[in-house]
Amino acid sequence: HVYTFDADGLVCMLINGKNRFLLQPGDSLHVEIHYDGRNVKNVEFSGTEVAVNNNRQFYNIEMLKRDMRYKSQLLGCVALDVKPKDRIQDSKVLLQRVKEMLDAQAVNLSKEAYNYMVADVESDAYMSFMEYPVMYASVRHLPVEQQEIGDYWKLMEGYSIHNDNASLQNPSYIGLLMRYCFYEKERKAHEQGAAYTMPSRFEGMYEELASFYSDDARDAVLYNLICNFIRAGKEIERAEPLLKDYKEKYNKNTQYIQLLESLLQ
């Protein structure tokens, strides 16, 4: 299969539903995927040097996850009864090893690809911190306080978000930012002895995210929230007033508006 297209920035391309490859303006990349049944046996790259380096590193990260038996789906971990303390420890190891791998190859990678890959692994690790103990408690009926993970409300201590374009183009990272907003609001309520319930309606989520984030991160998060709601295809008319509010108050990337308006047509 041969694809040729123009791009304004970094693009993550999905092949056969699960294999991801990074491309930037000026890249030329040839990918040869070898399968063992339905599983990828190995991948060979050729093309422009930076494109090859970026994608080889991206693939190496996936192989590291495979070697660690690190599952991307948290529900799968619950089904296998992976203990929260083990999942969190594995996530810390994965995060450290990936950052070491990337730093060792940083001079050979584009800055955008480096940032995208960091955001990608942070999505896996930090979603595990925030989401897995609560999910495990709900399914396995073991309270978070009894999971031997320390203070749940300190797991994200010191975390700082990324505002660069490459990170904000990573859909998994946007999902992390959304969850982080509600985690932080719940943490602060907990400190004050109050209760916090994450909004379940589209409008409430929009208000919470808009008040929590600023600048490029807010722009990307709200765009993705509205985009996902429209794509769901139900009660689309509810998106129109919030799209108007987003356009007037928060939008910085005009391409987001063009894409949202095209979805509504």
Side-chain angles (χ1 to χ4, degrees), residues 132-221:
Y132 194 62
V134 178
M135 184 184 295
Y136 190 90
S138 175
V139 177
R140 293 285 178 175
H141 309 294
L142 181 68
V144 172
E145 296 77 14
Q146 298 177 24
Q147 293 175 8
E148 302 179 56
I149 61 171
D151 188 346
Y152 171 72
W153 300 112
K154 291 185 177 179
L155 291 176
M156 295 295 291
E157 197 169 63
Y159 180 66
S160 57
I161 67 169
H162 304 298
N163 273 301
D164 62 280
N165 289 334
S167 296
L168 296 175
Q169 286 181 27
N170 187 311
S172 296
Y173 188 69
I174 295 298
L176 169 66
L177 292 185
M178 290 182 181
R179 184 66 181 88
Y180 181 63
C181 165
F182 303 126
Y183 171 89
E184 279 294 290
K185 287 181 176 287
E186 188 177 4
R187 181 185 64 79
K188 290 176 182 177
H190 175 78
E191 288 179 350
Q192 298 169 4
Y196 174 82
T197 302
M198 186 177 79
S200 58
R201 286 180 61 81
F202 169 55
E203 293 82 358
M205 296 179 71
Y206 177 90
E207 291 176 5
E208 293 283 65
L209 293 166
S211 66
F212 186 79
Y213 287 110
S214 61
D215 300 326
D216 292 339
R218 175 168 56 196
D219 191 14
V221 167

Side-chain angles (χ1 to χ4, degrees), residues 78-140:
V78 175
L80 292 171
D81 198 18
V82 175
K83 306 304 182 188
K85 65 176 181 179
D86 295 331
R87 176 65 181 191
I88 289 171
Q89 180 58 32
D90 287 347
S91 297
K92 290 178 179 178
V93 170
L94 175 69
L95 195 62
Q96 180 180 351
R97 291 183 65 181
V98 169
K99 287 189 174 180
E100 288 174 353
M101 288 169 61
L102 290 173
D103 288 342
Q105 293 294 322
V107 295
N108 301 315
L109 307 172
S110 73
K111 181 180 179 181
E112 293 80 8
Y114 177 96
N115 290 343
Y116 190 96
M117 287 185 269
V118 168
D120 203 62
V121 71
E122 286 189 359
S123 303
D124 282 324
Y126 294 130
M127 281 296 282
S128 296
F129 289 9
M130 295 183 289
E131 194 74 11
Y132 194 62
V134 178
M135 184 184 295
Y136 190 90
S138 175
V139 177
R140 293 285 178 175

Side-chain angles (χ1 to χ4, degrees), residues 202-203 206 226 238-247:
F202 169 55
E203 293 82 358
Y206 177 90
I226 298 171
R238 288 168 55 193
E240 293 180 2
L242 295 189
L243 175 56
K244 181 175 182 294
D245 185 76
Y246 163 67
K247 186 176 181 179

Side-chain angles (χ1 to χ4, degrees), residues 14-74:
L14 193 65
I15 295 179
N16 292 343
K18 61 181 179 180
N19 303 307
R20 299 180 298 164
F21 303 96
L22 301 176
L23 293 163
Q24 293 181 256
D27 281 353
S28 176
L29 182 69
H30 180 259
V31 182
E32 190 170 323
I33 307 174
H34 300 265
Y35 288 90
D36 181 7
R38 294 185 177 182
N39 298 318
V40 175
K41 184 178 181 181
N42 70 289
V43 180
E44 297 176 6
F45 300 101
S46 59
T48 51
E49 184 177 2
V50 175
V52 170
N53 292 339
N54 289 342
N55 285 281
R56 185 172 288 139
Q57 192 63 53
F58 204 24
Y59 176 71
N60 287 342
I61 292 171
E62 291 303 313
M63 291 303 98
L64 173 61
K65 290 180 185 178
R66 183 186 295 185
D67 291 343
M68 290 180 62
R69 297 184 179 179
Y70 188 89
K71 291 187 174 296
S72 297
Q73 297 297 325
L74 293 180

